[in-house]
Amino acid sequence: MGRNRTGVLEFAVLGLLYRTPMHGYELSKQLNLLLGTFRALSYGTLYPCLNKLYAEGLIAREGGEPAGAPRVPGALGPPRPARGNGRPPGRSKIVYRLTAEGKERLQDQLADAGPAAWEDDEFGVHFAFFGQTRADIRLRILEGRRSRLEDRVEGVRAALARTRERVDSYTLELQRHGLESVEREVRWLNELIASERQSEQSEASNPGSGPYPPAGQIDTDRGSEKESS
């Protein structure tokens, strides 16, 4: 994975572990659902990410190693190949959870509404965690994504106008399909932005009535995250 996609994976892992602690096998399944089939993760991708987050103190692990399977200290390697029922034999039952530092890192990532959050790789992950994102950040990301796609629509339309007479009918249909897909997402974003603005007005007149908890509600109490020695 490229550097940018590695960052997206780390963000997704932190966001999922904020919801609930998980063992690696379940985390892998949830990441596949979140990131999509075409970016399905192998254990070879996930476990180096978990190693990195663990080394940085952003996640902790709980549980023991399988009997008769010594490991290098600190290693978070993948479980053994799965049985026919999909459950790896002798899985270590190690469960990963966020530390206070991990919650703080997630808070920073949730607050990032810059151009990277509007791109294809990151937007979907940001959107998946909108429930923990402040309303103003949600709106900035949605508006940024819409602006990015509107630029893309103009580019595709210009390309269609230039190539209409020089490509075969199948290539032309593929280009039209791409244009329709982007236009459909722009319409969806328009609806979301209108809904967010309506909720914002409702929240202003009736504090506490918003549909999502603010990001500030993420518990970063260090006292609850102390590791046993």
Side-chain angles (χ1 to χ4, degrees), residues 54-227:
Y54 179 71
E56 292 175 358
L58 302 179
I59 63 173
R61 56 177 182 167
E62 299 171 342
E65 301 291 348
R71 292 180 180 270
V72 176
L76 303 179
R80 285 181 264 176
R83 293 193 186 102
N85 61 7
R87 299 176 61 186
R91 192 168 60 241
S92 65
K93 303 296 185 182
I94 292 176
V95 174
Y96 304 98
R97 63 173 177 81
L98 285 191
T99 62
E101 290 80 4
K103 291 177 182 178
E104 290 175 359
R105 175 70 64 84
L106 177 61
Q107 187 83 286
D108 291 340
Q109 291 172 325
L110 291 171
D112 183 5
W118 315 340
E119 301 295 345
D120 295 344
D121 281 341
E122 292 200 25
F123 174 73
V125 179
H126 275 276
F127 190 83
F129 301 128
F130 265 14
Q132 289 79 49
T133 304
R134 287 201 327 259
D136 60 319
I137 300 297
R138 293 197 303 265
L139 190 56
R140 287 215 299 270
I141 292 174
L142 291 172
E143 290 175 336
R145 176 66 175 175
R146 180 177 64 181
S147 175
R148 186 58 46 85
L149 291 183
E150 286 173 340
D151 291 342
R152 191 177 297 176
V153 165
E154 292 305 314
V156 174
R157 285 175 178 165
L160 274 171
R162 289 193 306 269
T163 63
R164 187 180 303 273
E165 304 301 328
R166 302 198 302 271
V167 299
D168 60 51
S169 59
Y170 297 104
T171 301
L172 189 60
E173 283 303 313
L174 185 61
Q175 291 176 335
R176 285 175 177 165
H177 173 69
L179 177 60
E180 290 172 0
S181 297
V182 179
E183 289 175 333
R184 186 163 52 248
E185 185 172 348
V186 169
R187 291 193 296 270
W188 174 67
L189 289 166
N190 284 335
E191 293 172 359
L192 289 171
I193 289 169
S195 178
E196 287 289 333
R197 287 176 175 164
Q198 184 177 6
S199 296
E200 192 175 58
Q201 293 171 357
S202 175
E203 175 71 10
S205 61
N206 184 19
S209 65
Y212 305 112
Q217 288 186 4
I218 292 180
D219 178 17
T220 55
D221 180 11
R222 291 179 179 276
S224 65
E225 301 292 344
K226 290 182 179 178
E227 304 293 337

Side-chain angles (χ1 to χ4, degrees), residues 34-89:
L34 178 64
L35 299 179
T37 303
F38 293 104
R39 288 192 288 170
L41 296 166
S42 68
Y43 285 118
T45 300
L46 174 59
Y47 280 86
C49 174
L50 290 173
N51 271 321
K52 181 175 182 293
L53 295 175
Y54 179 71
E56 292 175 358
L58 302 179
I59 63 173
R61 56 177 182 167
E62 299 171 342
E65 301 291 348
R71 292 180 180 270
V72 176
L76 303 179
R80 285 181 264 176
R83 293 193 186 102
N85 61 7
R87 299 176 61 186

